[in-house]
Amino acid sequence: MKQLSNAIIASELRAYGTIASTQLCDQIRTYIELLLRWNQKTSLTTVTEPEAILRFHFGESLLAVPAVPIRHGRLADVGSGAGFPAVPIRMVSENVSVILIESNQKKATFLAEIARELQLQNVEVRRSRMEDVCFDDEPVDFVSARAVKIDEDFINWWYQSLNSTGSLVLWLGEEDASRISQKSTWNWADPIRIPHSDRRVILHGTKI
């Protein structure tokens, strides 16, 4: 496997608004190595070239940190899969705690392993379906989703899970972003175009 240098990582992530420290570079290399090793037995990603992983998974995830922004608070990530976007967000934002919601046992096990390998604190893995997770006593500050179907059930769950000033953050195509931004119960910001992508954006909004 091609080993990404610090210079390559720093150069690629700069386009996504991230200044890569030496620690972050080391963590990304560890993450990619573990991801590709697990991917041989468990379907975690179809992107298997390290530089493409860096851009598509890490870059897209990290773009939300300065752009939304996501710098402190509690973030619940739905359908976490291989950990994107929530784990990279936690890697650069020590004041963010993340709850990774993943129903698949093998993927949930991977998420726990990557948090352990990277020695990340304030990362909780919940092996559960979204609809079985409830934050009634302490609604979260952010809800994120990157690879899940956006329907009314998701919208209703997110609305109940966020606190009054919380943000819903979605990674999706322009057409879906246009459709979802018509939801009248949300105050949507202008979509954030993702660098090096084909008509993909980050859409985020707050409750009205």
Side-chain angles (χ1 to χ4, degrees):
M1 182 185 75
K2 178 182 178 181
Q3 186 79 294
L4 296 177
S5 68
N6 286 14
I8 290 175
I9 294 173
S11 176
E12 292 289 353
L13 293 186
R14 197 172 295 118
Y16 300 90
T18 296
I19 303 301
S21 66
T22 299
Q23 179 184 12
L24 179 61
C25 292
D26 290 341
Q27 288 179 323
I28 287 174
R29 280 189 289 267
T30 299
Y31 201 137
I32 292 175
E33 181 180 354
L34 193 62
L35 173 66
L36 293 178
R37 191 189 314 152
W38 275 65
N39 202 54
Q40 294 175 6
K41 295 183 178 180
T42 302
S43 179
L44 294 171
T45 180
T46 58
V47 182
T48 57
E49 199 280 319
E51 284 194 36
I53 292 173
L54 179 62
R55 291 190 297 270
F56 181 69
H57 286 316
F58 289 94
E60 287 197 9
S61 299
L62 293 172
L63 178 61
V65 175
V68 173
I70 304 176
R71 299 194 184 279
H72 56 81
R74 296 169 67 234
L75 181 151
D77 184 54
V78 180
S80 295
F84 308 102
V87 176
I89 289 172
R90 173 61 190 83
M91 288 162 65
V92 302
S93 300
E94 63 180 20
N95 293 321
V96 172
S97 61
V98 299
I99 301 152
L100 307 174
I101 303 170
E102 175 53 58
S103 62
N104 182 280
Q105 174 65 67
K106 291 182 178 179
K107 292 178 180 179
T109 301
F110 171 79
L111 293 171
E113 177 70 4
I114 199 66
R116 186 188 68 81
E117 283 288 331
L118 299 182
Q119 300 182 2
L120 295 177
Q121 303 298 315
N122 299 318
V123 175
E124 176 187 352
V125 180
R126 295 197 187 183
R127 191 180 73 80
S128 178
R129 297 181 303 171
M130 174 203 71
E131 55 266 32
D132 295 328
V133 176
C134 180
F135 299 109
D136 285 347
D137 294 337
E138 191 179 1
V140 297
D141 301 286
F142 303 95
V143 169
S144 63
R146 185 168 178 256
V148 297
K149 181 181 178 182
I150 311 299
D151 57 20
E152 287 301 323
D153 288 338
F154 279 93
I155 294 292
N156 292 335
W157 182 87
W158 287 326
Y159 197 89
Q160 296 300 320
S161 298
L162 284 167
N163 61 35
S164 60
T165 59
S167 295
L168 171 60
V169 189
L170 306 174
W171 282 251
L172 68 180
E174 285 183 341
E175 291 185 3
D176 286 334
S178 177
R179 172 177 58 84
I180 293 168
S181 62
Q182 303 305 311
K183 301 291 183 182
S184 60
T185 52
W186 294 87
N187 181 26
W188 299 102
D190 291 337
I192 302 162
R193 182 172 293 280
I194 296 172
H196 308 301
S197 71
D198 183 17
R199 300 175 64 83
R200 283 177 52 76
V201 300
I202 295 176
L203 178 68
H204 65 102
T206 55
K207 296 178 181 179
I208 292 178

